[in-house]
Amino acid sequence: MRKLLYISLTTAAVFLSSCSKDDFADAYKNPSTVETTTVPKQFAGFMKINFEDVIPSYWNYFTVLQSTSLTYTQGHGFINSSGRYIPGAATVYRWNRFYKFIAQYRELEKVMASLPANTQTENRIYAITSTIYLYDHTQKMIDNYGDIPFSQAGKISLTGGNYTEALAKYDNQTELYTLMLDQLKAFSAELNSITLSVGVALEFKNQDLINKGDLVSWKNYCNSLRLKMLNRVSAVPAFAARANTEMAAIITEGKIVDENTENIAFRVYTQETDLDTSGFHDAMEGGNDIAPKAMIDHMNANNDPRKPWLFEAALATPGVYTGLDPLLTSSDQNQLITDAKISTYNRSVISRNDWLPGTLINAAEVNLILAEYYSRTGNAGSAKTYFEKAIRQSVEYYVRLGDKADDTTWKPTTEPTTAEIDAYIAAINFAAATTPADQLKLIAFQKYIHYNVMQADESWAEQRRLKLPALEFREDETSSVRKTPPTRWTYPTSESVNNTVNYNAVKANDNLSTKIFWDIK
């Protein structure tokens, strides 16, 4: 791997929402000037280094998602340009940022290991919660790439600066999922009984950028992440029994993100630090805010109450919502956009909303997972209950995003009524889907709508896993590499150059057609 990836990264001071931008910058020193750190500071630094992967940002949306997951899922409308199904530089950006992230985690491990045993025990909460957060993003890396360097990655500081020794092997994706599921299960049990001293509790609250020290929220986050991962591997023979058994146990315990008030997110509390959505406006409205046809057609046909909150009517046709047809030629698509006949994402609620949260786990997502679980295990009644609950939560979620919109020009003037939401649910009519296969089609389409541009990585993983919704794509006839959306990302070329021996062990699978291990349909 590139040497940059192994640098011991910046440590972090206490994050307070009242800090000015200058104060915050001073708190996160240049790594070359930092000689000492502490577990709490390193914990905050670890979480902070990753914020642009979570909070809507220019970097993540414009340089990574707009040319990959958003296009592959039709989360937005896109122009049928040459090479559109080849990830390109996006894979490099995401790869490098993950290794900066994991290097911070290794530094946290290093600092923790240097403490006396009793102090390590006292600070155990940092090890548990940092690893939950690490696994959330490691799962996303596996879902994009397959095998990845993990167990030996980010350890340049531990090797005394020896780059050769720090070159990391690729860990098997199935084994990594098993490891993460095992440890998350253990963390869930441990969080039931862990107690914090007054001092640790206060410091943890100050440094925790996600849940502000709330242990109940961390428990819910841990179990909801387990549900998502277990569901993703539920069709893999080696995981099927475990998935259903453990999901049932998690549901029985009831410690999950079940309501919107419990959503786990990297929230924006102030515009006075760099932990904000700065640049997202430009990233979206630079061509990535185009409405997709499949989503708009469904919303039009069923009077989806989310439509005016997620989208704006086309400028040339007031009151009419039209999505960009992915089967048209690029010249026809461009003409429609030029003529202002295509809808866009809502500027007040989405693209110009400076307070958008960085979603990690939310209630609608969890309840759609539960709907799928109950459908798969033959309980259609419960599947219907959770399916409909998820829709209501999704509507509420997007309506509430508009609460803090600074520019309300495009914000709807009235909120959806209960009757309108009921009518939409009745139009979909889950009860009429009498087979698990038909129920899954409905569940998958609701995932597609709910994830849209806000959770593009999750949407791409679910669409590859389920092969639903059955979206149509125009083939890229100009490409000799990939004519349809890929099934994984390829590794950056820097790996074959700088981490040659380890890369060669996975080289045979490094193409756009190799499936991730859970992609078996």
Side-chain angles (χ1 to χ4, degrees):
M1 276 171 272
R2 298 169 64 182
K3 294 180 180 180
L4 174 64
L5 306 181
Y6 298 103
I7 294 175
S8 174
L9 299 171
T10 178
T11 56
V14 176
F15 172 79
L16 297 173
S17 62
S18 60
C19 288
S20 70
K21 186 169 289 189
D22 288 341
D23 291 338
F24 197 68
D26 290 341
Y28 290 84
K29 299 295 186 182
N30 184 299
S32 65
T33 68
V34 175
E35 295 180 356
T36 61
T37 187
T38 65
V39 166
K41 290 179 181 179
Q42 192 62 37
F43 175 77
F46 160 69
M47 301 185 99
K48 195 267 181 180
I49 199 71
N50 194 48
F51 84 97
E52 285 185 300
D53 287 329
V54 187
I55 291 177
S57 65
Y58 183 91
W59 173 85
N60 196 31
Y61 276 79
F62 192 82
T63 63
V64 178
L65 297 178
Q66 64 97 10
S67 60
T68 57
S69 303
L70 288 176
T71 294
Y72 307 155
T73 62
Q74 294 184 25
H76 67 171
F78 58 92
I79 300 299
N80 283 322
S81 57
S82 178
R84 60 189 175 276
Y85 302 131
I86 302 172
T91 66
V92 179
Y93 297 134
R94 181 63 66 81
W95 188 267
N96 288 354
R97 287 182 66 84
F98 179 73
Y99 282 100
K100 291 180 181 180
F101 176 62
I102 199 170
Q104 278 277 32
Y105 179 79
R106 299 303 179 203
E107 287 301 297
L108 177 58
E109 288 186 316
K110 179 182 176 182
V111 176
M112 181 72 84
S114 70
L115 299 175
N118 64 323
T119 308
Q120 289 187 42
T121 300
E122 187 179 17
N123 284 276
R124 173 66 178 164
I125 190 61
Y126 292 103
I128 294 172
T129 54
S130 64
T131 307
I132 292 170
Y133 190 62
L134 173 70
Y135 285 172
D136 192 348
H137 297 283
T138 300
Q139 167 239 318
K140 289 179 172 62
M141 287 291 289
I142 295 170
D143 292 349
N144 283 335
Y145 293 97
D147 297 346
I148 59 169
F150 179 78
S151 61
Q152 300 301 315
K155 293 188 174 183
I156 185 62
S157 176
L158 301 179
T159 66
N162 187 316
Y163 297 119
T164 301
E165 288 185 13
L167 292 174
K169 68 174 184 176
Y170 285 69
D171 292 290
N172 178 274
Q173 56 194 288
T174 307
E175 294 174 359
L176 278 179
Y177 250 78
T178 302
L179 169 70
M180 292 190 292
L181 286 171
D182 288 348
Q183 291 201 355
L184 288 170
K185 182 179 180 181
F187 290 152
S188 176
E190 193 171 356
L191 284 168
N192 286 333
S193 59
I194 194 169
T195 58
L196 308 183
S197 67
V198 174
V200 169
L202 178 60
E203 186 76 353
F204 180 56
K205 179 180 180 180
N206 288 336
Q207 302 288 10
D208 179 5
L209 305 184
I210 305 298
N211 291 318
K212 298 301 181 185
D214 188 333
L215 298 188
V216 172
S217 293
W218 277 106
K219 169 77 174 186
N220 292 345
Y221 182 12
C222 181
N223 276 346
S224 298
L225 178 58
R226 290 174 63 204
L227 280 177
K228 179 171 67 174
M229 294 177 63
L230 288 164
N231 199 53
R232 190 150 294 161
V233 300
S234 60
V236 179
F239 286 93
R242 174 179 186 171
N244 287 339
T245 299
E246 291 193 15
M247 290 180 76
I250 293 169
I251 293 167
T252 299
E253 185 180 18
K255 303 291 182 64
I256 56 176
V257 176
D258 191 47
E259 302 294 340
N260 277 329
T261 55
E262 301 167 335
N263 290 344
I264 308 298
F266 211 135
R267 292 177 175 82
V268 177
Y269 292 99
T270 175
Q271 300 298 319
E272 298 302 317
T273 76
D274 62 352
L275 293 179
D276 59 26
T277 60
S278 176
F280 183 60
H281 168 192
D282 292 335
M284 280 289 288
E285 294 182 32
N288 301 315
D289 62 344
I290 302 299
K293 184 177 189 298
M295 199 177 297
I296 290 293
D297 285 354
H298 169 93
M299 290 179 159
N300 285 338
N302 298 284
N303 293 320
D304 191 325
R306 290 167 291 193
K307 184 173 66 176
W309 296 85
L310 278 171
F311 299 102
E312 296 173 30
L315 287 176
T317 55
V320 177
Y321 292 79
T322 305
L324 187 64
D325 190 339
L327 301 182
L328 295 177
T329 64
S330 59
S331 60
D332 287 343
Q333 291 176 319
N334 276 312
Q335 191 62 56
L336 287 168
I337 294 171
T338 300
D339 293 343
K341 293 181 178 179
I342 300 297
S343 295
T344 61
Y345 272 91
N346 188 292
R347 282 170 282 184
S348 292
V349 180
I350 304 294
S351 64
R352 298 189 186 183
N353 190 339
D354 293 334
W355 304 95
L356 285 181
T359 302
L360 293 167
I361 293 283
N362 58 60
E365 174 183 13
V366 170
N367 283 305
L368 285 171
I369 289 171
L370 296 184
E372 182 182 340
Y373 162 79
Y374 281 115
S375 174
R376 182 173 65 243
T377 55
N379 189 337
S382 291
K384 178 177 180 291
T385 297
Y386 286 98
F387 175 79
E388 294 179 355
K389 181 177 182 179
I391 291 175
R392 296 182 192 281
Q393 291 172 328
S394 181
V395 174
E396 179 189 33
Y397 180 78
Y398 285 105
V399 170
R400 296 280 71 83
L401 284 186
D403 286 348
K404 296 185 71 175
D406 295 309
D407 185 344
T408 60
T409 304
W410 305 276
K411 180 181 174 181
T413 56
T414 59
E415 296 187 5
T417 65
T418 300
E420 289 170 336
I421 299 171
D422 288 345
Y424 172 68
I425 291 173
I428 296 173
N429 195 6
F430 189 89
T434 57
T435 67
D438 287 338
Q439 292 163 7
L440 190 58
K441 290 177 184 178
L442 296 178
I443 294 167
F445 207 94
Q446 288 303 315
K447 289 183 180 183
Y448 169 56
I449 295 174
H450 182 69
Y451 287 147
N452 57 76
V453 295
M454 297 297 291
Q455 291 176 268
D457 286 322
E458 294 304 319
S459 191
W460 190 42
E462 287 297 274
Q463 287 190 26
R464 282 176 290 156
R465 178 178 73 90
L466 298 173
K467 305 299 180 289
L468 293 169
L471 303 173
E472 294 183 282
F473 291 83
R474 186 184 181 95
E475 289 192 0
D476 182 1
E477 297 295 346
T478 67
S479 176
S480 60
V481 177
R482 189 73 191 183
K483 298 185 183 300
T484 57
T487 55
R488 66 177 289 274
W489 291 357
T490 51
Y491 301 120
T493 55
S494 58
E495 282 295 286
S496 62
V497 174
N498 298 321
N499 193 19
T500 309
V501 173
N502 292 310
Y503 169 78
N504 284 341
V506 296
K507 180 179 179 180
N509 292 325
D510 189 22
N511 57 71
L512 296 173
S513 300
T514 299
K515 293 183 176 182
I516 307 303
F517 79 100
W518 42 251
D519 185 358
I520 63 174
K521 285 194 175 184

